[in-house]
Amino acid sequence: MQLRNIVIGVTAMGLVGVASSAFAETWRFGLEETEGSVQYGYAEEFKKLIEEKSDGDVTVQLLPYGTWGSNYSALYDAIQNGAIQIGFGSGFLGGTVPESQLMSLNFVMPNDQLETAKILNSDAFLKSDPWQQSFRKRGLVPLGALPEGYQVWTANKEIRTPEDMKGLQIRVMDNSLLRATYEAYGAAPITIAYGELYSALQQGQAEGNIQPVFAHENMGFYEVQDYMIFADQSQFVANLIGNQDWYEGLSDEQHKMLDSVLGEMVQKGHDIQTQFNSERLDTIKEKSDIKIIHLNEQERDAFRKLAKPVRQTYIDMVGERGKESLNILLDQIDKADSKKSQ
């Protein structure tokens, strides 16, 4: 009798497990980057927290670059139509959400990279009506932002002034604001698919490149460039976006869980990018003789002056919601600076 009861108990537990797994949700998470990237590191931690906090009721499936296609618009389309519930959108997202090009403006964000992460994920900015509506008008919801480290230039010549960049065929993402920015610097920006960039640099089809440090190392771009230039002009920011119908269909409990996880991921995302970029820079130094240049404040100022008018270019491109979002962002940066100076 005792053995029979144990068998019945075990069987019942098994049925509960089957029932539980049958009702488990799967959130598909699309990434613009490959394994070994900051986005992938963030997504792994996000997956761990969601699955823990949901007690297994939600599983997160990671879809790195290449598993959903090679054209970024295919990823954004999949999120818009709900085939993928959540994902990242960075510079290329400007074709889908023009206002998102705000993240591409140079010399806007605080020098303190953690402060940037906090401001971009603050309710005051992230949940502001103009920023939310910019995405919701396209069937998307902005859930957060992941600054992935400073964008670093590489080239086959030394760059310290805009004159040095004159005519340089530097690769930029398919983003009209980025093109306008680098045209203002005097360069001749070109767009090349990420997966084709290494060979383009190697064969001279592109003369320069713009990436966070981890991407230069992860994709081996530093192997085919002579100089790496740190101008600290902008951080590479990936917007975390969700399908609007999916997001609005979440239960109150799931919304609270998601908000809790996203709150934790602000610091975790910063820690991940800091570690990745530091370790990858060490790897680049160890494996190559690439020359590293850090622009001084006077040299940065020359580029800063050329970049400032591009703010109006952004407003002209995207309209009132973009202008309001920019003003909210600048206001939050000013408030953060004021607190530091007190």
Side-chain angles (χ1 to χ4, degrees), residues 210-278:
I210 313 163
Q211 303 287 343
V213 170
F214 79 87
H216 283 297
E217 190 279 331
N218 191 43
M219 298 298 287
F221 299 139
Y222 70 95
E223 298 171 350
V224 289
Q225 296 273 263
D226 295 332
Y227 291 87
M228 178 175 276
I229 303 100
F230 289 75
D232 293 356
Q233 80 287 355
S234 69
Q235 296 170 50
F236 181 80
V237 179
N239 296 284
L240 184 63
I241 54 179
N243 172 271
Q244 186 175 358
D245 290 339
W246 163 80
Y247 179 77
E248 293 178 349
L250 296 177
S251 67
D252 289 344
E253 186 177 342
Q254 287 176 321
H255 275 294
K256 289 177 183 177
M257 174 188 68
L258 182 58
D259 284 346
S260 173
V261 169
L262 292 173
E264 290 186 47
M265 289 306 303
V266 176
Q267 180 68 55
K268 288 180 181 290
H270 173 72
D271 293 343
I272 289 167
Q273 73 89 354
T274 300
Q275 179 181 349
F276 269 56
N277 286 306
S278 176

Side-chain angles (χ1 to χ4, degrees), residues 279-296:
E279 291 177 350
R280 300 303 172 82
L281 183 58
D282 287 341
T283 299
I284 289 172
K285 290 177 179 178
E286 290 169 6
K287 291 188 174 182
S288 75
D289 57 359
I290 194 166
K291 299 174 183 66
I292 295 176
I293 296 171
H294 290 270
L295 299 192
N296 61 38

Side-chain angles (χ1 to χ4, degrees), residues 15-277:
L15 290 173
V16 169
V18 170
S20 176
S21 63
F23 289 103
E25 292 184 36
T26 298
W27 295 356
R28 304 181 77 213
F29 192 155
L31 312 178
E32 298 173 306
E33 299 167 359
T34 61
E35 291 187 36
S37 67
V38 169
Q39 285 188 14
Y40 196 87
Y42 179 104
E44 283 185 310
E45 192 64 26
F46 176 89
K47 170 183 170 69
K48 175 184 172 184
L49 291 174
I50 289 291
E51 293 177 354
E52 284 178 356
K53 290 180 183 289
S54 71
D55 293 325
D57 289 341
V58 176
T59 59
V60 179
Q61 180 186 7
L62 305 187
L63 302 172
Y65 178 85
T67 59
W68 40 258
S70 59
N71 185 324
Y72 288 111
S73 63
L75 171 60
Y76 311 145
D77 289 346
I79 300 171
Q80 282 181 303
N81 66 35
I84 293 175
Q85 288 75 35
I86 190 171
F88 280 117
S90 55
F92 284 102
L93 186 62
T96 302
V97 183
E99 295 89 341
S100 70
Q101 294 177 88
L102 172 60
M103 302 300 176
S104 298
L105 286 171
N106 282 200
F107 297 103
V108 168
M109 303 297 180
N111 287 335
D112 184 326
Q113 295 184 73
L114 179 57
E115 192 66 48
T116 295
K118 289 178 178 178
I119 290 172
L120 293 180
N121 286 284
S122 67
D123 287 353
F125 174 75
L126 181 64
K127 296 187 178 180
S128 66
D129 187 65
W131 190 245
Q132 285 285 319
Q133 289 306 313
S134 296
F135 290 80
R136 287 174 182 265
K137 292 289 185 182
R138 283 92 181 183
L140 301 168
V141 177
L143 302 173
L146 173 64
E148 298 188 46
Y150 274 113
Q151 293 271 47
V152 180
W153 304 330
T154 60
N156 288 326
K157 66 174 185 175
E158 185 173 343
I159 295 176
R160 290 188 177 274
T161 68
E163 288 73 24
D164 295 332
M165 195 175 277
K166 188 174 182 179
L168 184 75
Q169 288 192 306
I170 190 167
R171 184 266 185 183
V172 300
M173 290 180 287
D174 189 11
N175 176 309
S176 54
L177 193 74
L178 277 173
R179 285 194 289 273
T181 300
Y182 282 87
E183 285 169 358
Y185 292 159
I190 57 174
T191 298
I192 296 169
Y194 193 60
E196 300 171 7
L197 182 52
Y198 183 96
S199 60
L201 290 167
Q202 188 177 40
Q203 296 167 15
Q205 294 169 339
E207 298 173 318
N209 183 20
I210 313 163
Q211 303 287 343
V213 170
F214 79 87
H216 283 297
E217 190 279 331
N218 191 43
M219 298 298 287
F221 299 139
Y222 70 95
E223 298 171 350
V224 289
Q225 296 273 263
D226 295 332
Y227 291 87
M228 178 175 276
I229 303 100
F230 289 75
D232 293 356
Q233 80 287 355
S234 69
Q235 296 170 50
F236 181 80
V237 179
N239 296 284
L240 184 63
I241 54 179
N243 172 271
Q244 186 175 358
D245 290 339
W246 163 80
Y247 179 77
E248 293 178 349
L250 296 177
S251 67
D252 289 344
E253 186 177 342
Q254 287 176 321
H255 275 294
K256 289 177 183 177
M257 174 188 68
L258 182 58
D259 284 346
S260 173
V261 169
L262 292 173
E264 290 186 47
M265 289 306 303
V266 176
Q267 180 68 55
K268 288 180 181 290
H270 173 72
D271 293 343
I272 289 167
Q273 73 89 354
T274 300
Q275 179 181 349
F276 269 56
N277 286 306

